[in-house]
């Protein structure tokens, strides 16, 4: 009898990685950023799966780089979406906090969640049963998927290869570091041969990466400003990707308009927002997270720039309709 197959697609920003669970019933885990929908469809067809043949979409969490393609697949193919109960209910209620879209200034086209998942629920695919593991930290409704027979883990943004997902204490709570450590500790009890993260390469030694992630988070408890810098650089780098860079004259007014920038400036670094602009720019350059190209600040991580439509649109929960 043929075993369940996991097809892993490591994707450039602004999309998160996508995975196809191919079995008697097939699922797409995380649909990428909305502007990459053509590429997302190509990943499916290259695997020999027509989008209409999917039995469902599963989201590890509701950030724009993971759920951006949901709208298209629902509109075009009526594919149901599954997500953790807490985040699914927020999305279905058009809660302004949904997807962190307003806080992060990231566009997300409206979608709905048909299957509300809870911890230890099983998703049956035919030959396998994937266990839903509630792994809060990066977001409160973050989940991982574990297949015990093949010892496979889909871990979202809980941990990556030599990295961890950034933490948003202003929306996910000041205890998000502890939650992340508890989630890692839970995964450490499992027998895992291979892990598929939301960004970066697949992980062949998950236990080592889990330990490294825990060590980093423990250092953040001792030095919270390191966590804040990590988050600011990740958020701003993503902004530079989805806007395909910002001109020098655009940066200050843009940052001063962002909720995330205000919160980190005032509450993490005890600075007025206008006083935090230059330190952030200096750190972006120092850490090589971004570089100046003539008069435009661009991110150094590989990315595929969205088309102009995506740069200009303002798809956010305040514009969604119930």
């Amino acid at each position: 009898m043929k075993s369940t197959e996991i097809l892993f697609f490591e994707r450039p920003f602004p999309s998160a990685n996508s995975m196809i669970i191919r079995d008697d019933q097939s699922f797409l885990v995380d649909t990428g950023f909305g502007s990459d929908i053509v590429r997302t469809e190509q990943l499916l067809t290259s695997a020999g799966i027509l989008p209409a043949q999917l039995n469902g979409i599963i989201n590890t969490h509701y950030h724009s780089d993971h759920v951006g393609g949901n709208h298209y697949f629902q509109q075009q193919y009526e594919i149901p979406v599954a997500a953790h109960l807490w985040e699914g209910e927020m999305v279905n209620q058009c809660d302004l906090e949904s997807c962190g879209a307003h806080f992060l200034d990231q566009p997300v086209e409206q979608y709905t969640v048909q299957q509300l998942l809870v911890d230890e629920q099983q998703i049956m695919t035919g030959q396998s049963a994937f266990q839903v593991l509630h792994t809060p930290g990066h977001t409160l409704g973050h989940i991982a998927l574990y297949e015990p027979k093949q010892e496979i883990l889909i871990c979202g943004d809980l941990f990556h290869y030599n990295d961890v997902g950034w933490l948003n204490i202003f929306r996910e709570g000041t205890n998000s570091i502890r939650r992340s450590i508890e989630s890692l500790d839970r995964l450490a009890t499992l027998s895992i041969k291979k892990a598929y993260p939301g960004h970066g390469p697949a992980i062949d030694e998950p236990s080592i990466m889990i330990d490294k992630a825990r060590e980093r988070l423990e250092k953040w408890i001792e030095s919270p400003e390191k966590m804040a810098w990590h988050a600011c650089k990740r958020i701003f780098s993503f902004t530079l990707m989805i806007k395909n860079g910002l001109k020098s004259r655009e940066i200050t007014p843009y940052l001063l308009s962002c909720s995330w920038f205000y919160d980190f400036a005032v509450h993490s670094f005890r600075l007025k927002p206008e006083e935090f602009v230059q330190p952030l720019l200096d750190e972006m350059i120092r850490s090589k997270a971004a570089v100046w190209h003539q008069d435009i600040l661009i991110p150094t991580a590989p990315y595929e720039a969205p088309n102009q439509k995506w740069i200009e649109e303002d798809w956010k929960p305040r514009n969604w309709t119930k």
Side-chain angles (χ1 to χ4, degrees):
M1 186 176 293
K2 190 175 180 180
S3 62
T4 306
E5 187 176 8
I6 302 289
L7 303 178
F8 174 73
F9 299 96
E10 183 181 351
R11 306 184 66 176
F13 290 106
S15 280
N17 295 336
S18 293
M19 286 124 289
I20 297 172
I21 300 173
R22 185 156 63 183
D23 202 339
D24 298 338
Q25 295 193 73
S26 295
F27 296 86
L28 174 62
V29 180
D30 291 342
T31 58
F33 195 67
S35 64
D36 286 346
I37 192 62
V38 172
R39 178 60 181 149
T40 306
E41 279 198 294
Q42 290 173 346
L43 296 178
L44 287 166
T45 55
S46 69
I49 298 174
L50 297 175
Q53 295 175 319
L54 285 174
N55 295 95
I57 290 165
I58 305 170
N59 292 143
T60 57
H61 60 292
Y62 64 1
H63 283 161
S64 65
D65 51 333
H66 294 257
V67 304
N70 289 4
H71 172 89
Y72 175 83
F73 282 116
Q74 287 192 324
Q75 294 296 309
Q76 295 295 317
Y77 305 107
E78 298 183 349
I79 299 172
V81 171
H84 188 270
L85 170 71
W86 294 350
E87 295 184 354
E89 286 188 336
M90 289 177 67
V91 167
N92 291 345
Q93 293 168 6
C94 302
D95 190 298
L96 289 180
E97 295 292 334
S98 297
C99 307
H102 291 295
F103 179 76
L104 298 170
D105 188 32
Q106 295 176 8
V108 181
E109 288 185 280
Q110 184 172 1
Y111 66 97
T112 56
V113 177
Q114 284 71 37
Q115 186 176 9
L116 300 172
L117 302 174
V118 296
D119 189 42
E120 298 188 356
Q121 183 172 342
Q122 290 191 334
I123 298 176
M124 310 302 297
T125 64
Q127 305 304 318
S128 299
F130 282 78
Q131 298 175 3
V132 175
L133 305 177
H134 184 208
T135 50
H138 182 60
T139 69
L140 283 173
H142 189 286
I143 63 169
L145 300 172
Y146 177 61
E147 201 287 302
K149 289 192 297 186
Q150 297 185 65
E151 300 179 347
I152 290 169
L153 178 74
I154 296 173
C155 56
D157 283 355
L158 178 58
F159 70 97
H160 307 139
Y161 185 86
N162 282 329
D163 203 359
V164 294
W166 67 276
L167 297 181
N168 181 0
I169 61 172
F170 303 109
R171 288 300 185 271
E172 307 303 334
T174 55
N175 204 32
S176 57
I177 302 179
R178 292 290 183 188
R179 290 193 188 98
S180 294
I181 292 174
E182 290 170 359
S183 294
L184 289 170
D185 288 344
R186 181 182 188 186
L187 296 185
T189 66
L190 305 175
S191 179
I192 308 170
K193 290 182 178 177
K194 193 145 193 167
Y196 298 103
H199 298 281
I203 299 170
D204 292 321
E205 297 178 319
S207 61
I208 293 175
M209 290 301 120
I210 289 172
D211 288 343
K212 286 187 175 183
R214 185 191 299 106
E215 289 172 7
R216 187 168 192 180
L217 293 172
E218 288 172 346
K219 289 180 180 178
W220 285 358
I221 291 175
E222 298 173 2
S223 303
E225 71 276 3
K226 292 182 179 179
M227 176 192 66
W229 276 120
H230 183 263
C232 288
K233 288 188 286 185
R234 289 301 173 85
I235 298 168
F236 192 34
S237 291
F238 196 82
T239 293
L240 295 176
M241 292 170 189
I242 63 177
K243 292 184 178 297
N244 199 21
L246 284 172
K247 295 179 181 178
S248 59
R249 60 179 172 80
E250 298 173 324
I251 291 173
T252 296
Y254 174 76
L255 289 175
L256 294 180
S257 74
C258 292
S259 296
W260 68 266
F261 183 79
Y262 177 91
D263 282 346
F264 279 105
V266 173
H267 302 299
S268 291
F269 298 104
R270 301 294 189 268
L271 295 172
K272 295 179 180 178
E274 57 270 23
E275 296 173 337
F276 186 51
V277 174
Q278 194 58 51
L280 177 57
L281 290 178
D282 291 344
E283 177 60 18
M284 294 290 290
I285 299 300
R286 185 206 64 78
S287 64
K288 299 181 180 179
V291 296
W292 289 105
H293 181 70
Q294 296 179 346
D295 191 45
I296 300 174
L297 189 67
I298 59 174
T300 54
Y303 73 100
E304 295 179 357
N307 59 40
Q308 196 63 32
K309 170 187 174 184
W310 273 90
I311 294 173
E312 295 172 352
E313 286 290 352
D314 187 34
W315 287 304
K316 294 191 177 73
R318 66 168 168 254
N319 301 319
W320 295 356
T321 56
K322 291 185 179 180

